[in-house]
């Protein structure tokens, strides 16, 4: 599609200015000149959101007329990031708006900086959901999101005395101009109460009565696809009291807090986003969140379906609708869909199960058995008694239908049943109800089939498939890296924005000195932009002539930020001990949050800041190495960091990272991956070739074999090497980095008493060697830049457009 055929939401710059001025008056009853940047942002975003909403009707009408299938992507998180710049790009009006801003005496960048990150996700899983929305709309798929509208995000991370401090993330403080509240589409959700059996003329049915009735109110966010062919909908649910039945006696007695308690208990359901990676399983409020967005979403789907196809076409639901569940948080989709079909639409049990299976598909994101979600049966049954009955009955039938001919049947049975040991196993529930089960990288899917879900794989191999993750190349190259994106457009035109495979044509420029020089200039600009941001937010000064070595992601033991710190300490110690040691001058940049209750991960953050404090203030080394920690990692700051990176640290122990997506964003921006053979790194390596990536460390099979042997002793490694590795480990305790807020005994204990579960010491040497080789290669600028551009050229495969095309074709059975 050419740009000329796109819906034109403004005829020209003057038209935009006119409409923007009207928006200022409409929103604030003031002129543009009287408004501050925050209000100008709000007016502009409201204007664009209004245009998007107006086009939503066309999408619906066309979908209706052509009888197109609709996908609903159920995810407990959507980490959207800022939307304004992305929508300007997708509407094809970024240039005219930029010029209009100039005429109005302001910079578009300054306006965009006023947009806050919606606090609707933790990290990778939520960002994947957001990239998928972008790609579904871009490919012309009717693909809607269904999730939660959290009043407060996870937390805003500040660093005090080197420590992570969690502050309230009040992301709605200045309003969210992209959303529209839809009172008329609210639905009721019931928690608790009793199931009552009714019988009449030999027919019987059940109702759930009593308990707590909650109103789920949707807020809709329009999702604009590239070229504005489609405007899809992201529906986010908020919990409110079903009726204002507060305690009138307490109210009249002046005890307002008591009178309002009911309201606050209900509203608590959509008040906060839980961390996804630290002991928050088992919280009742989390279970309520999961049920609320699942049930509310399904009720909406069935209501719309009935309006369109009538009350006796339920068996065709799966032909017209696909419900995709992102991880196990929406695992209740199966039983809840059955409940609604059976209890509210008179479908019989067997047919309801068949419909659910035809409609639902499932993506697994975790290999680690301890991370698989489970709920105690008693908790679940008390909260959702009727939905539980469907789980119980499906589990009973599943057990009954089990073939006992296989000699391993007891093992299979034990591993695949839904109910076991007093618990509901949400992954098994998801698999049994799904027509498709996919992992998120080739390696991850292989591990699922071979171990985590092996027994299911043996029983129903046809359900299993791989869908390697992807990222929105429009956002993470087009929006995030304007200089490099422009350079790419100068040689390739704009076609790559719609078709990322076209990036492959950059290979023609890999040996073009002028192109490589311009690439280096763009990278230099990105590095300066990041250095300015880091100076402004932390005070840390970085020299852009240094290599920018970047590890930005959630803090987690398996991601091994600690290994990166050990490498830095090794370089530091060697610099002090050996004047002939000349490492490549490097700035080590970290960013990421640790879950509030994840003590070890928070200690690693404190260690990084303590090491930064020592190194950055040590004149003997600080023009060779610097360390920066960028607080409050979010999509907006990520968009400043990825473009500036030259080394992409992807150093999880092999077999632990399902896919990773920052590895893809970074390679696309011309960073060279320094990584283990884990997750999608494996596929990156195959695509770019050995000479354009640096792989180190144990492979998955080696990690498995080492663990199985029981023959790994961290202590022995230290004894063998007291001067190097031993020294680093002792520095955790000997006061070297204690100035800010003390030593790091618990990290020491993790390594020594915990016997280094994450194999930091084991991979240490190959990691440091790999880093040295890689940074030595940086000296040959032309060769380095060639490798960087080659990484971009081969990154088209990792566009989420490719991923979504595969989902559409293989799982949802849609042409796209
Ligand atoms: C891409 C992204 C992630 C995922 O990073 P991984 O390194 O793949 O874990 C997390 N947070 C944000 C803000 C992202 O943009």
């Amino acid at each position: 599609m050419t740009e000329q055929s796109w819906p034109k939401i403004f005829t020209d710059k003057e038209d935009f200015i006119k409409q923007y001025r009207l928006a200022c008056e409409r929103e604030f009853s003031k002129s543009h000149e009287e408004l501050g940047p925050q209000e100008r942002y709000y007016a502009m975003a409201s204007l664009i959101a209004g245009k998007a909403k107006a086009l939503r009707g066309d999408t619906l009408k066309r979908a209706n007329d052509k009888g197109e299938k609709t996908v609903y992507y159920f995810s407990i998180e959507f980490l959207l990031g800022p939307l304004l710049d992305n929508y300007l790009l997708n509407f094809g009006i970024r240039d005219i708006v930029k010029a209009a801003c100039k005429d109005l005496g302001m910079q578009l960048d300054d306006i965009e900086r006023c947009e806050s990150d919606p606090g609707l996700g933790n990290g990778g899983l939520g960002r994947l959901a957001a990239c998928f929305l972008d790609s579904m709309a871009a490919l012309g798929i009717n693909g809607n999101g269904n999730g939660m509208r959290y009043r407060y995000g996870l937390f805003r991370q500040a660093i005090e005395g080197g420590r992570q401090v969690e502050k309230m993330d009040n992301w709605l403080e200045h309003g969210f101009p992209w959303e529209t509240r839809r009172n008329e589409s609210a639905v009721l959700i019931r928690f608790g109460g009793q199931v009552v059996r009714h019988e009449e003329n030999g027919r019987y049915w059940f109702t759930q009565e009593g308990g707590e009735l909650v109103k789920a109110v949707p807020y809709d966010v329009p999702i604009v696809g590239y070229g504005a062919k489609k405007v899809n909908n992201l529906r986010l649910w908020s919990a409110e009291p079903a009726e204002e039945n507060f305690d009138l006696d307490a109210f009249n007695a002046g005890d307002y807090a008591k009178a309002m308690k009911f309201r606050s208990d209900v509203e608590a359901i959509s008040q906060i986003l839980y961390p996804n990676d630290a002991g928050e399983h088992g919280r009742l409020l989390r279970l309520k969140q999961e049920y609320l967005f699942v049930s509310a979403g399904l009720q909406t789907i069935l209501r719309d379906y009935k309006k369109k196809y009538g009350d006796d076409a339920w068996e065709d639901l799966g032909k017209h609708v696909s419900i995709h569940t992102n991880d196990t948080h929406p695992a209740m989709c199966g039983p809840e869909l059955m409940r609604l079909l059976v209890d509210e639409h008179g479908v019989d049990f067997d047919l309801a199960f068949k419909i659910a299976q035809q409609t639902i598909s499932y993506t697994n994101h975790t290999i680690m058995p301890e991370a698989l979600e489970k709920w105690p049966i008693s908790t679940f049954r008390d909260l959702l008694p009727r939905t539980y009955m469907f789980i119980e009955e499906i589990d009973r039938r599943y057990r009954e239908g089990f073939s006992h001919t296989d000699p391993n049947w007891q093992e299979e049975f034990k591993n695949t049943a839904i109910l076991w040991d007093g618990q509901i196993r949400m992954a098994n529930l998801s698999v049994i109800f799904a027509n498709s089960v996919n992992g998120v990288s080739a390696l991850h899917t292989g591990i699922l089939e071979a171990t985590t879900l092996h027994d299911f794989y043996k029983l129903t191999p046809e359900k299993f498939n791989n869908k390697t993750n992807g990222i929105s190349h429009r956002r993470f190259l087009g929006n995030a890296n304007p200089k490099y994106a422009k350079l790419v457009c100068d040689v390739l035109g704009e076609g790559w924005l719609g078709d990322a495979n076209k990036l492959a044509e950059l290979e023609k420029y890999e040996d073009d000195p002028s192109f490589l020089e311009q690439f280096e200039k763009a990278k230099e600009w990105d590095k300066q932009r990041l250095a300015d941001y880091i100076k402004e937010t932390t005070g840390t000064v970085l020299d852009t002539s240094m290599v920018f070595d970047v590890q930005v992601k959630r803090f987690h033991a398996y991601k091994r930020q600690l290994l990166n710190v050990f490498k830095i300490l090794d370089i530091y110690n060697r610099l002090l001990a050996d004047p002939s040691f000349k490492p490549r001058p490097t700035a080590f940049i970290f960013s990421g949050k640790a879950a509030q209750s994840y003590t070890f991960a928070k200690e690693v953050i404190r260690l990084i800041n303590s090491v930064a404090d020592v190194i950055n203030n040590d004149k003997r080394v600080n023009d060779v190495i610097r360390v920066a920690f960028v607080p409050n990692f979010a999509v907006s700051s990520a968009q400043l960091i990825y473009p500036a990176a030259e080394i992409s640290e992807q150093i999880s122990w092999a077999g632990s990272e399902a896919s990773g997506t920052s590895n893809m964003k970074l390679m696309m921006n011309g960073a060279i991956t320094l990584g283990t053979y884990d997750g999608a790194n494996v596929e990156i390596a195959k695509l770019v070739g050995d000479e354009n990536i640096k792989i180190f460390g144990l492979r998955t099979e080696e990690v498995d074999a080492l663990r199985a042997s029981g023959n790994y002793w961290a202590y022995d490694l230290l004894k063998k090497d007291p001067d190097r590795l031993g020294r680093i480990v002792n520095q955790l305790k000997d006061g070297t980095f204690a100035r800010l807020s003390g030593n790091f005994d618990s990290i020491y204990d993790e390594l020594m008493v915990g016997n280094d579960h994450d194999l930091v010491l084991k991979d240490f040497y190959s990691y440091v060697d790999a880093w040295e080789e890689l940074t030595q290669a940086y000296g040959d600028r032309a060769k380095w830049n060639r490798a960087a551009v080659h990484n971009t050229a081969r990154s088209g495969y990792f566009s989420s457009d490719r991923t979504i095309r595969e989902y559409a074709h293989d799982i949802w059975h849609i042409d796209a």
Side-chain angles (χ1 to χ4, degrees):
M1 189 161 58
T2 63
E3 232 177 281
Q4 286 72 41
S5 66
W6 294 7
K8 258 204 145 81
I9 58 171
F10 303 107
T11 50
D12 53 19
K13 185 177 73 176
E14 282 65 37
D15 182 38
F16 171 80
I17 291 175
K18 196 177 89 198
Q19 296 200 44
Y20 161 73
R21 284 186 173 284
L22 285 171
C24 292
E25 293 288 344
R26 190 166 60 237
E27 298 296 331
F28 298 101
S29 305
K30 283 187 183 165
S31 71
H32 156 75
E33 283 75 12
E34 294 171 281
L35 298 178
Q38 183 68 48
E39 294 153 319
R40 289 174 179 183
Y41 157 72
Y42 193 96
M44 197 182 292
S46 308
L47 174 63
I48 304 298
K51 297 288 178 191
K53 278 188 275 179
L55 287 170
R56 169 86 182 129
D58 294 351
T59 294
L60 282 172
K61 188 172 178 316
R62 256 179 300 148
N64 224 2
D65 293 350
K66 296 187 186 160
E68 292 170 347
K69 193 170 186 179
T70 303
V71 177
Y72 294 88
Y73 195 81
F74 278 50
S75 177
I76 203 157
E77 301 183 10
F78 288 91
L79 193 58
L80 295 174
L83 294 177
L84 179 57
D85 199 52
N86 191 239
Y87 284 5
L88 296 181
L89 187 151
N90 285 348
F91 273 125
I93 55 170
R94 216 154 152 237
D95 290 340
I96 70 160
V97 172
K98 206 173 261 180
C101 285
K102 234 181 221 149
D103 287 8
L104 289 159
M106 60 188 185
Q107 295 281 331
L108 179 58
D109 284 353
D110 295 334
I111 299 304
E112 287 175 347
R113 256 194 291 280
C114 295
E115 182 165 6
S116 56
D117 281 88
L120 300 174
N122 271 283
L125 174 134
R127 185 55 233 171
L128 183 76
C131 286
F132 282 2
L133 292 180
D134 177 74
S135 286
M136 287 191 288
L139 294 176
I141 295 169
N142 300 295
N144 299 319
N146 186 69
M148 282 295 287
R149 179 182 184 270
Y150 305 104
R151 177 64 189 79
Y152 299 96
L154 187 66
F155 60 82
R156 192 164 52 75
Q157 181 195 54
I159 302 296
E160 293 174 10
R163 286 192 165 85
Q164 166 175 298
V165 178
E166 298 95 13
K167 313 256 168 158
M168 190 69 100
D169 174 20
N170 185 13
W171 69 277
L172 282 163
E173 183 179 0
H174 301 291
F176 186 47
W178 305 101
E179 71 180 4
T180 308
R181 183 184 163 97
R182 301 261 182 232
N183 286 314
E184 73 285 4
S185 300
V187 299
L188 293 175
I189 305 292
R190 192 182 298 275
F191 293 113
Q194 300 83 42
V195 176
V196 181
R197 187 176 191 275
H198 307 266
E199 193 163 350
E200 209 176 270
N201 306 331
R203 215 190 125 249
Y204 66 92
W205 69 96
F206 295 88
T207 55
Q208 194 182 329
E209 292 170 12
E212 175 190 30
L213 210 52
V214 170
K215 184 162 72 170
V217 182
Y219 287 73
D220 286 353
V221 180
I223 302 297
V224 178
Y226 182 65
K229 304 193 245 197
K230 284 271 176 198
V231 177
N232 288 328
N233 190 35
L234 168 59
R235 178 154 277 196
L236 301 170
W237 297 96
S238 181
E240 294 182 14
E243 49 201 68
E244 293 290 352
N245 64 350
F246 59 59
D247 183 342
L248 203 59
D249 289 342
F251 184 79
N252 289 335
D255 189 348
Y256 301 121
K258 191 171 170 217
M260 296 304 285
K261 191 173 175 310
F262 175 73
R263 171 169 270 279
S264 52
D265 283 352
V266 170
E267 288 175 349
I269 297 169
S270 53
Q271 216 59 205
I272 56 155
L273 163 66
Y274 280 111
N276 60 357
D277 52 7
E280 297 298 330
H281 301 316
R283 292 273 183 101
L284 189 64
L285 210 53
R286 174 71 165 191
L287 190 60
K288 286 185 171 181
Q289 291 182 342
E290 292 182 354
Y291 182 68
L292 184 111
F293 90 96
V294 163
S295 181
L298 292 175
Q299 289 186 48
T300 307
I301 291 169
L302 294 186
R303 193 185 53 201
D304 290 352
Y305 183 84
K306 187 170 150 180
K307 233 186 274 167
K308 232 160 129 178
Y309 299 100
D311 205 7
D312 51 10
W314 297 112
E315 67 265 33
D316 290 337
L317 186 73
K319 265 191 222 153
H320 302 291
V321 169
S322 282
I323 294 171
H324 199 90
T325 56
N326 191 27
D327 213 334
T328 56
H329 320 116
M332 283 176 236
C333 269
E336 178 64 9
L337 180 57
M338 284 189 73
R339 184 188 75 81
L340 293 167
L341 288 171
V342 171
D343 288 359
E344 309 209 336
H345 299 287
V347 177
D348 81 57
F349 189 97
D350 294 305
L351 180 59
F353 182 54
K354 211 172 107 203
I355 293 169
Q357 273 194 325
Q358 283 168 348
T359 311
I360 298 170
S361 43
Y362 159 60
T363 298
N364 172 287
H365 287 268
T366 21
I367 319 163
M368 288 178 249
E370 70 272 17
L372 293 175
E373 200 183 6
K374 296 184 182 85
W375 290 97
I377 290 176
S378 55
T379 307
F380 193 104
R381 190 171 41 200
D382 286 350
L383 189 70
L384 305 164
R386 181 61 179 147
T387 308
Y388 178 73
M389 287 171 70
F390 287 89
I391 296 179
E392 195 174 40
E393 180 60 13
I394 291 299
D395 186 61
R396 192 188 67 76
R397 293 183 186 206
Y398 178 75
R399 288 162 184 254
E400 220 153 63
F402 221 89
S403 153
H404 295 194
T405 50
D406 186 326
N408 294 322
W409 79 269
Q410 284 169 314
E411 191 64 17
E412 284 172 13
F413 183 81
K414 177 179 147 216
N415 290 336
T416 60
I418 302 171
L419 303 177
W420 199 263
D421 214 5
Q423 309 227 289
I424 307 179
R425 301 190 289 197
M426 304 304 265
N428 291 2
L429 179 64
S430 298
V431 174
I432 286 173
F433 269 97
N435 57 63
S436 162
V437 176
N438 74 281
V440 291
S441 73
L443 181 74
H444 169 62
T445 302
I447 294 173
L448 283 182
E449 293 173 354
T451 58
T452 320
L453 299 176
H454 178 64
D455 292 302
F456 276 123
Y457 179 63
K458 274 197 305 188
L459 293 167
T460 50
E462 68 284 357
K463 271 193 190 181
F464 284 74
N465 61 93
N466 175 245
K467 295 287 167 281
T468 298
N469 280 166
I471 54 148
S472 166
H473 65 287
R474 288 174 287 276
R475 173 180 289 271
F476 288 105
L477 185 56
N479 289 120
N481 201 336
K483 291 277 186 288
Y484 190 19
K486 177 165 185 311
L487 177 58
V488 174
C489 286
D490 286 347
V491 297
L492 303 184
E494 291 193 354
W496 63 277
L497 287 163
D499 176 5
N501 293 322
K502 294 212 163 86
L503 286 171
E505 291 166 31
L506 282 180
E507 284 179 40
K508 282 187 284 195
Y509 299 89
E510 284 174 16
D511 294 306
D512 175 342
S514 132
F515 185 86
L516 296 181
E517 205 173 288
Q518 291 178 75
F519 166 77
E520 190 170 311
K521 275 209 185 106
K523 186 61 86 180
E524 172 64 24
W525 185 88
D526 292 327
K527 287 168 76 176
Q528 190 60 55
R529 180 176 63 162
L530 179 61
D532 292 345
Y533 178 77
I534 289 176
K535 180 152 178 261
E536 190 186 305
T537 50
T538 68
T540 304
V541 177
L542 300 183
D543 177 348
T544 58
S545 71
M546 290 178 161
V547 178
F548 275 22
D549 177 323
V550 166
Q551 188 176 20
V552 292
K553 49 183 74 233
R554 263 315 250 266
F555 272 78
H556 209 294
Y558 82 82
K559 291 179 185 274
R560 297 201 296 191
Q561 282 92 354
L562 187 60
L563 178 59
N564 195 344
V565 177
F566 272 31
K567 173 193 71 190
I568 297 168
L569 294 185
D570 187 51
I571 297 166
Y572 178 57
N573 292 335
R574 286 160 68 194
L575 275 169
L576 295 184
D578 173 9
S580 73
F581 178 55
K582 296 268 181 255
R584 176 77 44 195
T586 301
F588 300 98
I589 298 162
F590 292 89
S591 195
K593 294 178 184 175
Q596 292 95 314
S597 63
Y598 194 167
T599 312
F600 175 78
K602 288 167 87 167
E603 280 294 276
V604 175
I605 291 178
R606 190 170 70 84
L607 176 61
I608 291 169
N609 283 291
S610 299
V611 167
D613 172 63
V614 169
I615 287 179
N616 298 345
N617 291 303
D618 187 338
K619 294 224 153 39
R620 297 170 298 176
V621 300
N622 68 9
D623 48 2
V624 185
I625 49 173
R626 297 255 169 153
V627 181
F629 187 96
V630 185
N632 201 38
F633 189 51
V635 178
S636 56
S637 58
Q639 290 185 201
L640 298 172
I641 299 171
Y642 297 137
E646 293 169 302
I647 294 178
S648 162
E649 298 271 0
Q650 307 297 339
I651 59 179
S652 51
W653 54 264
S656 65
E657 185 76 88
S659 158
T661 48
S662 77
N663 45 3
M664 303 167 185
K665 300 173 213 169
L666 284 156
M667 87 178 277
M668 190 173 278
N669 278 283
I672 310 296
T673 305
L674 170 56
T676 47
Y677 217 58
D678 197 18
N681 298 352
V682 175
E683 287 154 86
I684 294 177
K686 287 196 180 116
L687 278 161
V688 301
D690 291 345
E691 62 290 4
N692 298 303
I693 189 168
K694 196 79 190 173
I695 297 291
F696 71 92
L698 297 187
R699 307 283 165 119
T700 307
E701 321 78 70
E702 293 169 322
V703 169
D704 289 348
L706 185 66
R707 292 202 195 290
S709 76
N711 231 337
Y712 175 59
W713 304 107
Y715 182 76
D716 288 350
L717 283 178
L718 294 196
K719 258 203 325 212
K720 253 190 266 165
D721 186 9
D723 295 337
R724 204 172 154 197
L725 201 46
R727 177 156 182 223
I728 292 168
V729 173
N730 279 326
Q731 285 172 328
L732 297 170
K733 295 223 311 182
D734 71 2
T736 310
F737 301 105
R739 195 187 76 95
L740 278 186
S741 50
N743 275 317
F744 299 89
D745 299 78
S746 68
I747 298 180
Y748 180 93
D749 289 346
E750 170 64 28
L751 296 171
M752 292 296 91
V753 183
N755 195 31
D756 185 19
H757 175 266
D758 296 291
L759 305 172
V760 170
L761 307 182
K762 183 73 191 172
D763 275 343
F764 170 80
Y765 297 98
S766 71
Y767 176 49
V768 176
D769 290 348
W771 182 85
E772 284 187 57
E773 285 167 27
L774 182 59
T775 47
Q776 285 315 314
Y778 189 81
D780 185 342
R781 302 303 301 131
K783 199 167 163 203
W784 181 278
N785 290 331
R786 184 185 187 284
V789 170
H790 187 70
N791 267 267
T792 308
R794 291 290 169 94
S795 69
Y797 177 78
F798 295 110
S799 167
S800 44
D801 291 356
R802 185 271 311 155
T803 314
I804 285 297
R805 221 174 257 121
E806 292 178 3
Y807 274 90
H809 182 268
D810 301 344
I811 302 177
W812 306 328
H813 308 294
I814 295 173
D815 299 324

